[in-house]
Each structure stands twice: as structure tokens, then as C-alpha cells.
Amino acid sequence: MLQKTKEEEPKKQLPMSMENHKMTVMPLPKGRNSSIQAFIPACDSTGNDGDNNNITKNLPFSKHLHFDVCKCNTTWLKPTTSPFPTQRGCNAVDPFATPHDKNYDQWIIQHPSALENFKEIVASSKGKSIVMFLDYDGTLSPIVDNPDRAFMDDEMRDAVREVASCFPTAIVTGRSRDKVYKFVKLEELYYAGSHGMDIQGPKKGPKFTKIKEKAVVLFQPASKFLPLIREVYKLLVERTKSTPGAKVENNKFCLSVHFRCVDPQKWSSLAEQVNAIIKEYPNLRLTRGRKVLEIRPIIRWDKGKALEFLLESLGFADLHSVFPIYIGDDQSDEDAFKVLQHRRQGAGILVSKSPKETGASYSLREPAEVMKFLHGLVESNKVTVN
């Protein structure tokens, strides 16, 4: 069990926000548990985040912004309680698949298709401002064996571009911000990489008639952990060399150990290798996803917090006139679905072909259906505008 650590108070400054896409000053919301705080350092004085990105501006921090420090329970990795399969061959059960008791027909009643219920979603958004949040892997691109080749096709890119021309649109992903930008290649989007720990505003102003100026911001709430992340990355690469098919991905503010191409019989030993390293670093926590182990800093910042931050930055804090739509396929997206449930706003849409425990209200089966849904929103917006 990782230990909580005491951190310094945030700097007493207020962050820039974009109400009607103008730069204004606005305090950020408190975390749900404000009793524990962590200091979140800003970028350097040049506004450079370390990637030679000189067009970004430093985003200062609010005295109202609180971050929770969390513990990591890694008992699921202990050999005595290992959930890893003993089956041989490629049909072995994924140890990270969410268990379920109901078949798909029963599950779809509780999480109906967002396509079949499209009119219902549009009706709920009537008179409100839609803000789009999209995961990347498994949502805009198919899941592939090699994470470096998870390319989105041109048709999907066009669909995302059209949506961004109608509504503020953000990509929220566990990938590094730079890597997902190279995949998506659209300057008019907000990018929240590393599970929301690396957020950048559009390099190219969104195509809204009310925009009078462009605004680019950079927000990195886990900057102080960068040296630690680099150190652990080198260790993981070295220690996992003995496991064929294992791939360690550096997502800047978090790390991913992919085991999709690893022999199922070696999943358990790989997880034990990773856990042995992480338990020596109490400022990091271990989480899990679809055939991936993820290492993150202990600050309580996730895709749900990123969603709240972006809504606040856009001027929609505590307003009922906004309709956020979040589409994602992985366990990490559940944090965003929970936020929408708590706010009682918008629609969470899970991308899955099989039943999963989820906080999403609707479902889609695959990226192809996501693209149809995005096209539908664009066409619906044209009707509304006209």
C-alpha cells in the first residue's frame, strides 16, 4: 500500500479561462476532498513545457484549486490472490476484463445505443451548449497490437474536424499529448494527454463566429513528477526486457506497460516485475486498463478532473446551460462518466461490444459507430442553426 505524502500549498494565483473564447480570470473548483492538498508547479517562466513548444502560455494556479493525494491498492497483483489466467493459448481470459453477470441483451437495456436513441440525446441538449470530449484509443481509432500504430483514418479525422467546427471539442487520453496530436493532426482541438495531466488549448482558434481572439493555454498539474517518471521509465524498460512482447510507453506524465502481445502465461510474472518497481516509489500509483498497466503520480487528477477543468475554462462552471458529451471505451474513462453523473449533465457514452460495469448512460459498439454519432451531431447542428 502506498503512503500519502504531504505537499505544499498551491500558489495563490488564478488560472486563465476562456468564457466565450476570451481570456478571463476565473477561480477553479475545489476538489471533492479538500482536506489533503498537493502543490502543483507551473511550467517554466518561458511557458515552455519541455517539448520546445514556445507558443503556449503559462497557466498559473488558483488558491481555490485543491488536489487530493491518493493511495494505490496493489493487492490484485499479489501472487496469493493473482487473477491472472492459467489457460494456454490466445483464448486466455483477459485478467483486466470487467466481470459481469448479465448478457449483452440485458445490459443494452440499461445502456442503450446512442445511435438508436440519438433523437433523445439531441432533445436533451436543446437550448444548451454542447461540449465534446473524446477518448482516442478504441474510440477514434481501433485497438491494435502495436500502440505506435493506432492511427485514425481520414474519414474519422474529417468527422472530428466537423464536430470541432460546431462545438468546443477535446481529446482526453492516457497517451502523451504530443503523440496523440501526431495521430489526430487537428489544431482546433483541446488536447488533454496523460489522463488529463497535460492540457493544451487550440493552436488554431475554433470556428465560432463569436470568437474575437485566439487563446492558447498550457496546464500541467504533475510537472514536479517528471524526473521521477523518467527514472521509473528507464527501470521498467530494463526490467521488462526479459518478457517478449512487453512494451513500455512513456506518456510524459504517466507510463504504460502494454502486454497485449505477451504470452498469457507470462502476464502474472510481468505484473509482479512492474509491481516490484512501483512499490519502491510511494509517489506513484499503479492502475490497470485494457491489457495495459499504467503508472501515474499520486495526485488525484484524472480524466474526470480534466473534464471539469476544461468546462470551467470554457466558462461553463456550475451552469445548467451546458451539455457535455463524453465518449470513451476504457476503465480510465469511468472517472469522466462519474463526473457527468454527479453534475447531472450531458451524456456519457461507453464504446464496447460486451457488457461492462459502467457509469455511462449510453453505448456504442465500435469507432465506426462513434463516427456515425459525430456525423449525426453535425447534421443536427446544421438544422438547428438554419
Side-chain angles (χ1 to χ4, degrees):
M1 183 78 71
L2 301 184
Q3 300 297 318
K4 292 183 179 180
T5 58
K6 294 183 178 179
E7 305 288 348
E8 302 175 39
E9 292 282 350
K11 293 182 179 180
K12 295 184 177 181
Q13 297 177 347
L14 297 177
M16 293 180 288
S17 69
M18 289 160 283
E19 185 172 6
N20 295 327
H21 303 280
K22 294 182 180 180
M23 298 306 296
T24 58
V25 178
M26 177 178 294
L28 290 179
K30 292 183 178 181
R32 294 180 186 173
N33 179 5
S34 60
S35 61
I36 304 174
Q37 300 177 358
F39 170 61
I40 311 300
C43 320
D44 61 35
S45 59
T46 65
N48 194 334
D49 67 345
D51 291 329
N52 297 320
N53 187 350
N54 295 315
I55 67 169
T56 58
K57 298 179 181 178
N58 181 24
L59 183 62
F61 301 91
S62 170
K63 63 181 180 181
H64 301 294
L65 180 58
H66 297 266
F67 295 89
D68 301 326
V69 178
C70 62
K71 294 182 179 180
C72 174
N73 186 342
T74 56
T75 55
W76 58 278
L77 288 172
K78 292 182 179 179
T80 55
T81 58
S82 175
F84 295 95
T86 56
Q87 298 98 318
R88 296 177 179 272
C90 61
N91 292 323
V93 176
D94 181 350
F96 301 142
T98 303
H100 56 271
D101 299 323
K102 300 178 180 180
N103 60 38
Y104 187 80
D105 290 339
Q106 293 173 316
W107 181 82
I108 200 69
I109 295 175
Q110 297 180 336
H111 310 284
S113 167
L115 288 178
E116 295 180 8
N117 292 269
F118 183 79
K119 291 183 178 180
E120 175 182 289
I121 296 173
V122 171
S124 298
S125 68
K126 187 176 181 180
K128 300 179 181 180
S129 299
I130 292 177
V131 181
M132 288 297 307
F133 298 91
L134 301 165
D135 180 31
Y136 183 74
D137 293 275
T139 300
L140 300 181
S141 72
I143 296 294
V144 295
D145 290 342
N146 185 350
D148 291 333
R149 300 194 63 80
F151 303 120
M152 66 187 299
D153 58 36
D154 291 337
E155 191 175 2
M156 179 67 85
R157 183 174 293 104
D158 289 340
V160 175
R161 181 186 291 111
E162 290 177 356
V163 165
S165 71
C166 301
F167 321 107
T169 301
I171 304 294
V172 186
T173 175
R175 299 278 197 150
S176 73
R177 174 171 53 82
D178 287 344
K179 182 171 288 187
V180 79
Y181 177 77
K182 291 177 181 178
F183 283 146
V184 179
K185 302 176 182 178
L186 295 176
E187 296 184 344
E188 54 266 52
L189 307 181
Y190 296 84
Y191 288 90
S194 302
H195 295 284
M197 288 182 282
D198 190 6
I199 302 176
Q200 184 175 14
K203 297 178 181 179
K204 177 181 179 181
K207 300 177 181 179
F208 293 98
T209 56
K210 294 183 180 180
I211 288 185
K212 295 183 180 179
E213 62 184 48
K214 298 179 181 179
V216 179
V217 297
L218 180 68
F219 182 58
Q220 299 175 326
S223 294
K224 70 176 297 182
F225 293 95
L226 278 176
L228 187 62
I229 292 292
R230 296 189 191 106
E231 178 182 336
V232 174
Y233 172 70
K234 292 178 181 178
L235 283 174
L236 287 171
V237 170
E238 182 62 31
R239 301 277 182 88
T240 60
K241 283 182 179 178
S242 60
T243 306
K247 180 178 177 59
V248 183
E249 184 178 14
N250 188 342
N251 292 312
K252 190 166 183 176
F253 293 100
C254 60
L255 303 171
S256 298
V257 181
H258 300 273
F259 61 91
R260 184 171 295 277
C261 296
V262 173
D263 184 337
Q265 295 184 58
K266 297 183 178 180
W267 285 351
S268 183
S269 60
L270 175 63
E272 289 168 3
Q273 285 180 325
V274 174
N275 188 45
I277 294 174
I278 302 308
K279 71 180 183 180
E280 300 298 325
Y281 292 87
N283 287 326
L284 299 178
R285 63 188 175 105
L286 187 60
T287 59
R288 54 191 179 182
R290 295 177 64 179
K291 295 189 178 179
V292 63
L293 301 174
E294 295 180 310
I295 296 92
R296 310 187 209 176
I298 59 173
I299 63 169
R300 193 175 295 279
W301 189 266
D302 50 38
K303 291 183 177 182
K305 296 287 187 181
L307 182 151
E308 290 181 309
F309 175 85
L310 285 167
L311 286 178
E312 179 110 21
S313 298
L314 288 163
F316 292 118
D318 302 323
L319 295 181
H320 296 291
S321 59
V322 63
F323 193 85
I325 299 178
Y326 189 104
I327 308 178
D329 76 306
D330 207 354
Q331 184 63 35
S332 61
D333 298 307
E334 293 299 324
D335 295 316
F337 296 149
K338 289 177 183 177
V339 167
L340 294 183
Q341 283 186 328
H342 179 74
R343 293 172 64 102
R344 296 184 178 180
Q345 285 183 320
I349 303 175
L350 176 70
V351 183
S352 178
K353 289 184 177 181
S354 60
K356 291 182 180 180
E357 193 70 29
T358 181
S361 301
Y362 300 93
S363 65
L364 293 169
R365 292 177 60 85
E366 57 190 356
E369 289 195 352
V370 173
M371 184 167 61
K372 290 180 181 178
F373 181 84
L374 297 181
H375 281 309
L377 283 179
V378 172
E379 293 303 315
S380 176
N381 184 71
K382 291 178 180 178
V383 173
T384 302
V385 172
N386 295 332

